[in-house]
Amino acid sequence: LLQLSTGRRSNAVWQQQRIFEELLRMMDLGQHDTAASPTVEIAEKTEAYIRNHYAEPLTNASLSTALHFHYNYLARCMKRVYGLTPMEYLTDYRLEQAKLLLLKTEISISMIAERIGYESTAYFSRRFVHKTGISPLRFRKRYSR
């Protein structure tokens, strides 16, 4: 494309456009191939299931049963597509939901922990501090104004 920009202007513009369209078409085909792969499909199904059931007690076994695949296979697919195992994704998603609740509501920390699927408020707080570097209460005070 850059070489054509130094040639005759009228002819170069059309050639550049043709090459650019071909490049876009190749990128589009590559994206469709990736999207159609079983790995991506299973990772997306796992992600959707986690997002829809994050407040419930989820385990490796319950994911495996619900999605009809061995947990190790689900974990490999998720790791390849999202860079996280299903349980890591679940933890991150729960904590993102907790942040939203902390900022948009006045619900107590213990109620938030329960609402997002943690049985123990202390464990929820430890996970929150590990992820964000501050406690849920400090997070709420710092960012909700």
Side-chain angles (χ1 to χ4, degrees):
L1 289 172
L2 292 174
Q3 288 175 346
L4 289 172
S5 65
T6 60
R8 281 188 32 210
R9 188 77 181 135
S10 61
N11 190 30
V13 169
W14 295 112
Q15 285 182 318
Q16 284 176 325
Q17 188 167 354
R18 184 186 54 76
I19 292 170
F20 185 69
E21 285 177 13
E22 183 62 29
L23 179 63
L24 289 175
R25 189 172 16 267
M26 287 172 25
M27 290 172 62
D28 189 47
L29 287 174
Q31 194 171 27
H32 287 301
D33 290 345
T34 303
S37 82
T39 300
V40 172
E41 189 176 319
I42 290 169
E44 288 174 347
K45 284 182 181 178
T46 306
E47 177 200 24
Y49 186 84
I50 290 170
R51 286 177 173 262
N52 290 325
H53 300 275
Y54 73 93
E56 301 167 15
L58 290 179
T59 63
N60 297 350
S62 67
L63 277 174
S64 186
T65 301
L67 298 168
H68 309 290
F69 287 101
H70 192 279
Y71 179 77
N72 291 345
Y73 183 61
L74 296 174
R76 272 197 316 272
C77 293
M78 287 284 293
K79 193 78 165 171
R80 185 170 290 146
V81 174
Y82 297 106
L84 301 167
T85 66
M87 290 300 130
E88 291 168 337
Y89 188 91
L90 173 64
T91 299
D92 285 357
Y93 189 73
R94 282 178 171 169
L95 294 176
E96 289 304 313
Q97 295 305 306
K99 287 178 185 178
L100 290 173
L101 290 170
L102 286 165
L103 296 176
K104 296 181 183 242
T105 69
E106 293 299 320
I107 300 172
S108 70
I109 305 299
S110 61
M111 286 298 295
I112 289 174
E114 185 180 318
R115 189 174 282 186
I116 63 167
Y118 285 96
E119 292 179 17
S120 164
T121 304
Y123 182 67
F124 160 67
S125 292
R126 280 196 306 276
R127 299 300 303 164
F128 194 91
V129 168
H130 179 74
K131 177 75 174 170
T132 64
I134 59 175
S135 71
L137 190 57
R138 277 210 174 135
F139 181 88
R140 175 178 271 166
K141 287 179 181 177
R142 182 178 291 172
Y143 297 109
S144 64
R145 293 184 180 173

